Each structure stands twice: as structure tokens, then as C-alpha cells.
Amino acid sequence: MATKGNHYKKTPATLKIIYKAIADGLTQRDAAALAGISEDTFSLWKNDNSDFSEQIRKKEIEHKRKLIQIIEKASLRSWQAAAWRLERKYKEEFSNNKTLQEEMDKLEGKRQLDEIGANIRAICDEKYRVEKP
């Protein structure tokens, strides 16, 4: 009978597979599958063993750092990579995203200006009897 969390499967080889998979950017679900354990077992190991949980977190951070370094290197050749990084890291200052409401307000303002312009043209046409070409 298997013990809670299948601890008999927690071998150095299994842990090595999991740590490498996480460091390479795989999800915890994928790392568990690659190591031959269920997602539930993976979760139990994390909850029951702070060392395991800490190692997983460190491997995730290593992968994040690796991706950031790739972006930083690319930004030396491409300003777009630097802009992308700024937009995501410092959203409040550099993001170009407008809310849907802001975009709708702009469209409503444009519609109102178009309507005012049409009214002015109609008044001028009537007052000065300008014939349309």
C-alpha cells in the first residue's frame, strides 16, 4: 500500500527530474508528469516538505531570471525588447494600454464633434445658400 503522497517515489532521480523541469520553465503539472508522479503527489510533497517547496520556488526564480536576462540581452539590439520590458515591469509609468471606457469616451467625443461639424455646415449652407458641388 502506498503511503500518503507516495513518498517511496521521492528518490534523488525523481527530484532531479522535477528540479530540472521546473528550472527549464515547465509547469509543476508537467514536471510531475515527467517525473512519473501525479499532480496531487507533487502538491502533497510541497505541503509536507518545506525543503522541497523551497527548491521548487528557487528553480522557478532561476527560470524567471534566465528569461529576464534573454530580454535584457535582446534589448541591446532591439529597442522593442526594452520597451516591452518597461511596459510590463513598470505598467503605471510605461504601459500604453487604455481602458475600454477611455476608448469609448474618445469615440463618443469624436461622434459629438462630427455631429457639431455637420450642424455648423447645415447652418452655413442655409445662411449663405452655399450650393453643394
Side-chain angles (χ1 to χ4, degrees):
M1 186 168 107
T3 60
K4 179 182 173 188
N6 290 323
H7 290 286
Y8 70 92
K9 290 184 177 181
K10 195 189 286 182
T11 64
T14 302
L15 294 175
K16 183 177 179 180
I17 291 168
I18 291 171
Y19 295 149
K20 173 136 178 39
I22 297 293
D24 288 345
L26 271 66
T27 62
Q28 292 180 8
R29 173 185 287 166
D30 290 343
L34 194 61
I37 62 170
S38 71
E39 193 174 354
D40 289 339
T41 296
F42 187 96
S43 292
L44 286 171
W45 289 2
K46 274 183 57 179
N47 293 335
D48 291 347
N49 186 325
S50 62
D51 289 338
F52 178 73
S53 181
E54 190 176 312
Q55 283 300 313
I56 294 300
R57 183 71 182 126
K58 284 181 181 177
K59 296 301 179 184
E60 289 171 336
I61 292 169
E62 285 176 18
H63 181 68
K64 185 192 303 185
R65 182 177 56 199
K66 191 183 330 177
L67 294 177
I68 290 170
Q69 288 171 343
I70 290 169
I71 294 166
E72 294 297 321
K73 186 175 180 181
S75 69
L76 297 175
R77 297 182 314 277
S78 168
W79 68 266
Q80 289 92 340
W84 183 91
R85 177 95 165 98
L86 285 171
E87 287 174 355
R88 278 147 188 85
K89 178 72 175 168
Y90 307 102
K91 290 178 184 151
E92 293 297 318
E93 294 177 75
F94 294 99
S95 181
N96 199 13
N97 295 333
K98 302 290 183 199
T99 66
L100 181 58
Q101 187 60 50
E102 288 173 325
E103 293 300 321
M104 289 174 61
D105 290 347
K106 281 184 188 177
L107 290 174
E108 178 59 22
K110 184 181 180 323
R111 188 196 62 75
Q112 289 174 349
L113 286 174
D114 289 345
E115 189 176 310
I116 290 169
N119 289 339
I120 291 171
R121 278 192 298 280
I123 291 169
C124 289
D125 287 350
E126 185 178 315
K127 183 168 182 158
Y128 299 106
R129 303 271 183 230
V130 176
E131 294 191 23
K132 294 180 183 176

